[in-house]
Amino acid sequence: LNLGGEVQRRLQQQLTVPSLNRPLTGERVLSEIVINRLNELGVQYGDLRHGREQNRSISTTDQSVSGHRLFESEGIGIRVIYKGYWGFAATDILTEQGVIEAADQAVSMAKAVAESSPEHLGLKPNQWAQEPVHTAEFHTPVGLCPFDASVATIATPFLSAAKIALEKDCIMRAVGGFYAFGRRRLFASTEGSRILTTHCVTESFLRYHGVKAGNSAYRTKEIHGISGGLEHLFSSDLVESADTLAEEALLKCTAKAPTSGNKTLILDGHNLGLTMHESVGHPTELDRVLGYEFGFAGGSFADLEKLNNFQYGSSLVNFTANNTFLYGLASQGFDDEGVACQSFPVIRNGVLVGYGQNRETSHMVGSTRSNGSCRATNWWDAPIVRIPNLYLEPGKDKLSLDELIADTKEGIFMQGRDSFSIDQMRFNFQFGSNMAWRIENGKITEPLRDVIYQSISPEFWGSCDAICDASEWEMHGTINCGKGQPMQASMMTHGAAPSRFRNIRVGY
């Protein structure tokens, strides 16, 4: 990060969010009350998440702040296994009586399920993946707290960038948004783990809308979701990029759409972030593979029979899940089953080799330990398997974006995300881009608009014949990944360097 001196100094102090730093005495007392109650009730396993959470959003329109929202909540979610079946309850009544009633409710739910379900379907003790007992803390480094800063401080870069863009003829609107999430969570389990974590996330965008020659178009600057504070906004090029992106919005207004057909595509890391999320991240969530999501968000084509023998992509394609790297949205120290965050392979040399797991499903793939991919968004949510920080490894050979374009005789270079769709098995998909350019004889020649590419997940990744090196690799965070009933919006980071894909269908 290119940070100013004061911001850098504060970041090095690894400050946490001040409003989440109050004494923990109350949480610790209530957590022990719950754990003692669960033990009295004879559960096989029980855990809790006592959470204090804050959300802040600020919106801007042109030269004005158009909205400001601050939300806080606190409560406790309790999960149990009784006779092999799950029970869950949550409460914001943070008294001894309130949490005992919630614990009783969780156990009552599990008992009711156990009484009405065949015994052989219940989770057996040897099917629950083991995890060392942890007494630990993990805190996201925060340089500048996003909850203490004034609205004016946060809005200033958005308004400054909008002013530059709106000075151009035909730029009609500049719409921006800032979002921050802060959470302190105390985890406790009947196994003995006691874990305190704090997690802080920020995300921003500014979208420039142009109208020219009877057409409209937009170009978006995204400061992707990232673990940390306001230092990520203030060190970005939001203002510096305003002129260029506004100009590109106007170029899109008069640009041509490409003819339909199979083409060579170069996709930047931003665009690939969404594509890998949908076509690799979700299909390799083990609960989805096992059919647990069929009632709502579908299943996965990457079934258990394909593990360790299915060619998911070309030999250049290597995907790694890593919930430990700095600034990753899923880098939270421990997941919500008390499992330490880890790094593990998902695809190696194009072959499917791993899934995101929780402690309940790990035995299905012969694992004795979960890989820490189970998270709950809020304290009132039950933890479920979620996509980890998943990224495409950069190419091993030296290759810049300019060199990759120069090596491409004819094709399209696509930047950023736009509309997308994918089927319930995560197989057939289509994706758009925020900006696209025609490549002819190794050079970018003109802008394009309305570029949509279609493919089938393994065919798409199998068509990859070049990946730029680590100098071009970028991370792109997602803060609104929807899954579960009730719906939970989770966070994870993806990363990639620009990559080339041959013979991909463009258009309809």
Side-chain angles (χ1 to χ4, degrees):
L1 293 174
N2 179 21
L3 302 175
E6 174 63 15
V7 177
Q8 183 67 57
R9 184 187 67 80
R10 296 191 66 184
L11 183 59
Q12 288 171 348
Q13 294 176 345
Q14 296 199 0
L15 301 179
T16 53
V17 177
S19 52
L20 298 179
N21 282 347
R22 72 180 193 189
L24 271 166
T25 305
E27 284 99 322
R28 294 196 190 280
V29 169
L30 290 177
S31 68
E32 296 308 319
I33 290 172
V34 171
I35 295 301
N36 290 337
R37 182 61 173 173
L38 297 181
N39 285 325
E40 289 174 4
L41 295 172
V43 302
Q44 292 170 249
Y45 170 83
D47 62 29
L48 64 89
R49 282 146 299 280
H50 188 137
R52 184 172 189 228
E53 299 162 3
Q54 297 177 307
N55 291 268
R56 187 182 194 185
S57 61
I58 295 173
S59 56
T60 64
T61 302
D62 299 337
Q63 292 288 277
S64 301
V65 173
S66 51
H68 179 217
R69 177 179 178 271
L70 181 63
F71 171 78
E72 295 188 12
S73 69
E74 184 174 3
I76 189 168
I78 303 168
R79 191 177 64 147
V80 302
I81 303 175
Y82 184 86
K83 292 187 177 180
Y85 289 91
W86 287 106
F88 177 81
T91 185
D92 60 357
I93 303 174
L94 299 178
T95 64
E96 180 175 353
Q97 180 180 353
V99 299
I100 287 177
E101 289 178 355
D104 290 350
Q105 183 181 0
V107 175
S108 295
M109 179 184 292
K111 286 182 176 179
V113 175
E115 290 171 359
S116 60
S117 303
E119 183 178 347
H120 72 277
L121 294 181
L123 185 68
K124 306 301 185 291
N126 64 349
Q127 295 174 336
W128 180 245
Q130 297 302 300
E131 178 68 16
V133 173
H134 299 286
T135 301
E137 293 190 16
F138 175 88
H139 305 286
T140 300
V142 175
L144 298 171
C145 177
F147 298 98
D148 287 353
S150 68
V151 173
T153 297
I154 297 173
T156 293
F158 294 92
L159 303 184
S160 298
K163 183 176 186 297
I164 293 170
L166 291 166
E167 289 175 351
K168 289 184 174 294
D169 291 339
C170 302
I171 292 293
M172 310 304 294
R173 179 129 294 173
V175 178
F178 170 83
Y179 173 79
F181 171 78
R183 181 189 74 197
R184 182 172 74 176
R185 182 164 290 178
L186 179 64
F187 173 90
S189 75
T190 54
E191 296 173 329
S193 285
R194 302 293 187 269
I195 302 167
L196 173 66
T197 61
T198 56
H199 188 215
C200 186
V201 168
T202 60
E203 181 180 73
S204 306
F205 77 92
L206 187 54
R207 182 172 295 124
Y208 307 105
H209 295 262
V211 178
K212 188 176 182 180
N215 293 316
S216 63
Y218 59 83
R219 187 74 167 96
T220 306
K221 172 65 180 180
E222 294 190 54
I223 305 169
H224 296 274
I226 194 165
S227 289
L230 281 174
E231 63 274 7
H232 298 296
L233 169 62
F234 295 148
S235 64
S236 73
D237 63 344
L238 185 66
V239 176
E240 291 79 2
S241 65
D243 185 78
T244 298
L245 295 184
E247 188 62 37
E248 289 178 357
L250 298 178
L251 288 175
K252 286 175 67 176
C253 290
T254 56
K256 303 174 184 176
T259 57
S260 297
N262 290 354
K263 302 182 187 298
T264 296
L265 303 181
I266 296 176
L267 308 178
D268 75 351
H270 182 189
N271 186 280
L272 282 171
L274 180 59
T275 307
M276 73 178 68
H277 178 92
E278 302 294 344
S279 66
V280 181
H282 278 306
T284 57
E285 292 173 310
L286 187 51
D287 63 338
R288 186 186 295 271
V289 171
L290 297 172
Y292 296 1
E293 282 285 300
F294 267 120
F296 177 54
S300 169
F301 74 92
D303 54 57
L304 292 180
E305 293 181 354
K306 293 182 172 63
L307 185 63
N308 296 320
N309 59 50
F310 178 68
Q311 199 69 32
Y312 208 116
S314 73
S315 60
L316 296 177
V317 173
N318 292 280
F319 276 97
T320 296
N322 187 343
N323 288 345
T324 68
F325 69 76
L326 187 62
Y327 306 129
L329 292 176
S331 299
Q332 300 173 20
F334 299 83
D335 78 353
D336 285 315
E337 293 186 317
V339 178
C341 288
Q342 302 155 43
S343 177
F344 56 94
V346 176
I347 295 174
R348 277 293 169 263
N349 301 319
V351 177
L352 174 67
V353 297
Y355 300 106
Q357 305 159 200
N358 63 3
R359 297 179 69 178
E360 178 184 5
T361 61
S362 292
H363 75 279
M364 297 294 291
V365 289
S367 298
T368 58
R369 187 189 185 198
S370 168
N371 51 32
S373 301
C374 188
R375 303 193 298 278
T377 301
N378 300 290
W379 55 262
W380 61 81
D381 293 317
I384 56 177
V385 176
R386 301 310 303 245
I387 300 173
N389 295 324
L390 180 73
Y391 56 87
L392 178 66
E393 297 278 0
K396 296 180 175 62
D397 298 326
K398 184 179 182 301
L399 180 65
S400 68
L401 174 59
D402 289 342
E403 291 169 332
L404 182 58
I405 292 172
D407 185 56
T408 304
K409 181 175 178 58
E410 184 177 353
I412 299 174
F413 174 45
M414 302 177 71
Q415 297 174 290
R417 307 172 183 176
D418 211 299
S419 63
F420 76 97
S421 66
I422 191 165
D423 70 21
Q424 65 177 9
M425 298 302 288
R426 303 286 153 169
F427 198 56
N428 298 280
F429 65 68
Q430 68 175 29
F431 289 87
S433 69
N434 193 236
M435 189 71 198
W437 308 86
R438 189 186 305 279
I439 300 172
E440 296 177 297
N441 297 316
K443 295 182 179 179
I444 289 177
T445 57
E446 64 174 335
L448 297 169
R449 65 175 292 153
D450 301 331
V451 182
I452 299 290
Y453 63 92
Q454 305 177 49
S455 193
I456 293 171
S457 295
E459 292 182 5
F460 173 79
W461 294 107
S463 74
C464 180
D465 77 339
I467 303 174
C468 289
D469 62 38
S471 66
E472 300 278 3
W473 190 91
E474 296 178 335
M475 64 168 64
H476 299 278
T478 296
I479 67 168
N480 59 348
C481 172
K483 183 180 176 183
Q485 289 179 290
M487 172 73 78
Q488 300 184 41
S490 191
M491 307 178 185
M492 63 286 299
T493 294
H494 301 300
S499 305
R500 185 170 63 195
F501 300 82
R502 300 285 192 181
N503 213 28
I504 301 298
R505 177 73 180 177
V506 169
Y508 299 97

